[in-house]
Structure formats: C-alpha cells, structure tokens
Amino acid sequence: MNYTYNHLENTKKEEGQKELLERNLEAHRNRRWVINSIYAMSLLIVMLCFYFDVPQAVIITIILFCICTTSEILYRALDKKIELRLKRGFESIIWTQKS
C-alpha cells in the first residue's frame, strides 16, 4: 500500500515538473521579440552612424554585430537546455510508468 502511494506521488510530482518545464519553454520562445528588437535597434543605429558620417561607424557596427551574435547564441543555448531538461523529464516519466 505504501509503495503504491509513494509511486503515485512521485508520478504526480514528475508530471507537474514536466508541465512547468513546458510552460518555461513556451514562455522562453515567446520572448523572441527581445532578440528581434535588439537586431532592429542595432540596424537602425548602424544606418544612422553611416548616414551622419560618424567616424567610428565601422567600430560601432562590429560591436553591435558581436552583441547580436552573442545574444542569439545565448538564446539558442537556453532553448536547448530547456528542451533537454524537458526531454529527460519526459523519459523518466515513461520509465517510471513502465516499472
């Protein structure tokens, strides 16, 4: 009796964690607008720098390109991390249901 109750509680807990991870992944993907706004602002700044013949326009362009690249890499890494945690959690739920 106690084993069955503990097994049921563990299954509920793991399913709750899976739902939480799914919501986190969805919320993370909904924040894509932040990355897109960084790109748009960077492009606007670069265009204005070249339009007004700012002497350091090339340096500013390189710096903004590095910021955009770094933010994209970090965004994708976090996305992969959440997906892997979700996948591991899903596999553990399947494994516990088989046993």
Side-chain angles (χ1 to χ4, degrees), residues 3 5 12 14 17 20 37 43 47-48 55 57 62 67-68 71 79 81 90:
Y3 171 76
Y5 177 76
K12 285 182 182 178
E14 288 173 355
Q17 289 174 347
L20 181 63
S37 64
L43 181 62
M47 288 172 44
L48 289 174
I62 293 170
I67 290 171
C68 289
S71 64
D79 193 45
K81 180 181 176 184
F90 184 68

Side-chain angles (χ1 to χ4, degrees), residues 1-98:
M1 174 73 183
N2 194 17
Y3 171 76
T4 306
Y5 177 76
N6 287 339
H7 180 70
L8 183 63
E9 287 295 316
N10 288 339
T11 303
K12 285 182 182 178
K13 182 179 175 184
E14 288 173 355
E15 287 175 357
Q17 289 174 347
K18 181 183 173 230
E19 287 179 21
L20 181 63
L21 283 173
E22 285 174 346
R23 282 186 289 192
N24 285 346
L25 182 60
E26 185 178 332
H28 171 70
R29 289 184 174 162
N30 286 337
R31 287 191 289 265
R32 182 72 190 175
W33 65 270
V34 174
I35 301 296
N36 291 337
S37 64
I38 290 172
Y39 293 157
M41 287 186 291
S42 297
L43 181 62
L44 180 64
I45 291 170
V46 167
M47 288 172 44
L48 289 174
C49 285
F50 280 106
Y51 180 75
F52 291 114
D53 293 326
V54 176
Q56 296 88 7
V58 175
I59 295 171
I60 293 170
T61 304
I62 293 170
I63 291 171
L64 290 175
F65 177 75
C66 291
I67 290 171
C68 289
T69 305
T70 304
S71 64
E72 181 69 27
I73 291 169
L74 291 175
Y75 180 85
R76 288 185 184 189
L78 184 58
D79 193 45
K80 294 276 188 206
K81 180 181 176 184
I82 295 172
E83 280 182 353
L84 287 175
R85 288 180 64 196
L86 185 60
K87 189 175 184 181
R88 264 191 307 222
F90 184 68
E91 289 173 354
S92 70
I93 289 172
I94 291 174
W95 185 78
T96 55
Q97 289 175 350
K98 286 182 180 178

